[in-house]
Amino acid sequence: MVKISRIVIPLTCLMSLFCVMAAHADTDTRTRIFNRKFMTLKTMADGNFMAPPVIRMNTDDRLIVSFDEIGEDNSFLEYRLLHCDRDWQPSRLIESEYVDGFNSQRIEDYENSYATFVHFVNYRIILPNDDMRILHSGNYLLQVYDPEEPDEVILQTRFQVSESAVSINGTSNSRTDRGHYSTWQQISMEIDTKGLGNINPYQDITVDVTQNMREETRRRLNGPLRVNGQVMVYEHQNDLIFPASNEYRRFESVSNSFAGLHVDSLRYMGSNYHVWLKPDQPRADKQYSYDRTQHGRFLVREYNATDSDLGADYITVNFRLEMDELPDADIYVDGEFCQGLPDNANRMHYDPTLGAYTASIPLKQGAYNYQYVAVKHDGKQKADPAPVEGNKYETENEYNISVYFRPPGARADRLVGTHTIYNE
């Protein structure tokens, strides 16, 4: 008779098994807020809000994740990290392979707002920290949740951890394979892989490129045009040609005492201040006009506050786009402040009496970039700024490059390099 031993599987192993199974599911990992009580989610490099949210391993790089909860009382919140593959889906790594420490930490850095009409609690997370050290490069998702309901994610945000093991050089200009100085921009780049040793550049390396960190623009390059020694050359490839888009629009509302940039008027109404922006018009058929850009980002700021995260108030911003109604598409206000997602919160409504699209969006005081995007009713196309903003070859776009390395037999992608280039 064969004696069968009883096998006990630890809870941590079961959780890891669940994570592996989840890797096969289509998981929503986009930066977004699920609970409308929470607002102003911002992930930025410490000391440089214009830099992409990337930590370089073995450096002093830090990321700051901040957000607000509307109300006077704080909640007891926790956060965790989820390692993702190059497609931003959960990877097959177990938690102990990518986090040194407990992958469940209480958010202890929070403070109440002061001198604001709308009361809120501001929360802050700094990564990495003494309680949570990151062991593996790659794409990451930080999730915030109530520990009593850990499966209900309140908000989540993407960031990256890079090994900086490859050297990336690139250019972007309007001399493209589809014509010169028209409506396109084209990227050329070289990736020096000598820091990776002996690799197969056509099988082990993939490269992603995004324009202004908009997910809709992501391009995947599965191989270079050619390889010179250990240098991979990417040029004259169709996936490196992007619609040029247009400069972001911008406004500033940093004080309730005066109208800021592109603000027509403001006044106190109900329980907070309301701001009316100057009416906007479509730019698709207009000549290009240069304007300083933040590439879609926003920066919280209040003119007199010693700490704008706590002293900047929530205002209702009224947008107005004067144009004929599009019969086959909806119009949305787009920018980092809405996580680049078309949603009911930033969808515009057409007012035939005004001959304009309008939207009222609660935002924290500060400096904002925004644009208008169209989403077809048939659902076959992604959010597209071209119908309203046009495509101008002179636009100073930001292109973010991510290089992933996955040799045969590996269980996860390594992010071996990132780089940002700007259109010349």
Side-chain angles (χ1 to χ4, degrees):
M1 179 181 293
V2 178
K3 183 178 181 180
I4 301 176
S5 301
R6 196 168 117 194
I7 300 175
V8 179
I9 302 177
L11 179 60
T12 54
C13 292
L14 287 174
M15 293 177 64
S16 300
L17 177 62
F18 173 78
C19 292
V20 170
M21 293 173 62
H24 297 283
D26 187 11
T27 304
D28 181 2
T29 64
R30 295 193 60 166
T31 295
R32 65 188 309 162
I33 298 173
F34 296 98
N35 187 327
R36 293 299 181 187
K37 187 180 178 181
F38 293 82
M39 301 180 68
T40 315
L41 173 60
K42 178 76 174 179
T43 305
M44 59 177 281
D46 188 9
N48 185 4
F49 92 101
M50 287 290 287
V54 178
I55 300 171
R56 294 170 301 167
M57 296 187 74
N58 303 315
T59 69
D60 293 331
D61 287 357
R62 295 291 183 270
L63 288 182
I64 297 177
V65 179
S66 65
F67 58 91
D68 296 334
E69 180 181 12
I70 304 301
E72 298 185 2
D73 299 323
N74 69 282
S75 298
F76 294 102
L77 303 175
E78 294 184 356
Y79 68 94
R80 61 185 171 232
L81 301 184
L82 183 65
H83 186 269
C84 297
D85 61 19
R86 62 194 176 193
D87 296 319
W88 288 99
Q89 289 299 296
S91 75
R92 296 181 178 274
L93 296 182
I94 61 176
E95 291 179 349
S96 61
E97 292 180 287
Y98 62 85
V99 172
D100 180 13
F102 292 106
N103 192 18
S104 179
Q105 297 294 333
R106 177 69 58 86
I107 303 177
E108 298 180 342
D109 187 354
Y110 56 85
E111 290 188 62
N112 289 81
S113 62
Y114 63 84
T116 58
F117 290 101
V118 177
H119 300 291
F120 61 88
V121 181
N122 176 255
Y123 299 84
R124 177 177 294 196
I125 302 168
I126 298 179
L127 288 173
N129 53 60
D130 291 339
D131 297 318
M132 188 173 285
R133 293 173 295 277
I134 300 173
L135 303 176
H136 200 286
S137 66
N139 295 336
Y140 279 86
L141 189 70
L142 180 146
Q143 296 180 320
V144 174
Y145 58 94
D146 184 333
E148 295 186 359
E149 296 180 302
D151 294 333
E152 297 295 325
V153 178
I154 293 172
L155 57 86
Q156 61 189 25
T157 184
R158 290 178 175 184
F159 69 94
Q160 294 179 300
V161 178
S162 172
E163 298 178 21
S164 301
V166 299
S167 175
I168 309 168
N169 292 297
T171 61
S172 170
N173 58 62
S174 53
R175 298 182 296 276
T176 77
D177 294 342
R178 298 184 186 177
H180 293 183
Y181 309 111
S182 57
T183 61
W184 305 96
Q185 293 177 354
Q186 185 163 338
I187 292 175
S188 299
M189 60 182 166
E190 294 183 350
I191 302 173
D192 189 337
T193 64
K194 64 183 178 182
L196 299 179
N198 187 23
I199 67 169
N200 184 331
Y202 293 97
Q203 295 182 3
D204 301 342
I205 298 290
T206 55
V207 180
D208 279 8
V209 183
T210 59
Q211 182 189 72
N212 300 323
M213 296 193 298
R214 294 185 63 238
E215 180 63 27
E216 291 84 358
T217 68
R218 185 176 300 278
R219 305 289 180 82
R220 169 66 52 78
L221 305 169
N222 291 311
L225 178 68
R226 65 181 185 275
V227 177
N228 297 332
Q230 293 178 305
V231 177
M232 305 170 65
V233 180
Y234 295 82
E235 59 185 11
H236 301 295
Q237 293 174 284
N238 188 61
D239 284 335
L240 289 176
I241 303 175
F242 290 77
S245 192
N246 205 339
E247 304 291 356
Y248 278 86
R249 304 171 192 256
R250 61 190 179 107
F251 76 89
E252 293 182 3
S253 185
V254 299
S255 173
N256 289 329
S257 300
F258 58 86
L261 176 70
H262 199 58
V263 173
D264 184 65
S265 62
L266 71 161
R267 68 174 180 270
Y268 185 84
M269 290 177 56
S271 59
N272 70 318
Y273 269 87
H274 288 238
V275 168
W276 285 264
L277 302 184
K278 294 178 181 180
D280 290 317
Q281 283 78 38
R283 301 185 294 175
D285 297 327
K286 294 184 178 181
Q287 289 186 341
Y288 170 80
S289 178
Y290 170 77
D291 194 9
R292 187 175 61 185
T293 181
Q294 298 168 189
H295 302 292
R297 297 175 174 89
F298 72 92
L299 179 66
V300 170
R301 180 169 174 255
E302 204 285 327
Y303 185 73
N304 293 310
T306 55
D307 185 343
S308 291
D309 283 340
L310 304 177
D313 211 340
Y314 275 90
I315 57 177
T316 300
V317 180
N318 296 278
F319 296 83
R320 178 168 167 173
L321 174 62
E322 296 179 340
M323 62 178 287
D324 293 334
E325 184 177 13
L326 296 181
D328 60 346
D330 289 322
I331 300 295
Y332 294 82
V333 186
D334 176 74
E336 182 196 24
F337 64 89
C338 61
Q339 295 87 53
L341 294 170
D343 187 86
N344 286 334
N346 58 313
R347 183 166 68 93
M348 306 191 80
H349 302 276
Y350 193 76
D351 187 335
T353 61
L354 296 176
Y357 285 93
T358 63
S360 298
I361 303 176
L363 296 173
K364 206 172 183 179
Q365 288 176 293
Y368 286 80
N369 267 194
Y370 69 99
Q371 63 180 354
Y372 297 107
V373 299
V375 178
K376 293 283 189 179
H377 292 158
D378 59 16
K380 296 180 180 179
Q381 294 184 346
K382 299 176 181 179
D384 184 8
V388 179
E389 309 294 0
N391 289 301
K392 314 297 180 181
Y393 70 86
E394 304 97 328
T395 304
E396 292 191 353
N397 287 307
E398 172 185 290
Y399 292 94
N400 294 287
I401 302 167
S402 299
V403 181
Y404 300 98
F405 174 46
R406 188 165 187 170
R411 295 172 46 246
D413 297 303
R414 292 165 52 190
L415 180 63
V416 293
T418 62
H419 186 62
T420 301
I421 60 177
Y422 300 92
N423 188 61
E424 297 178 345

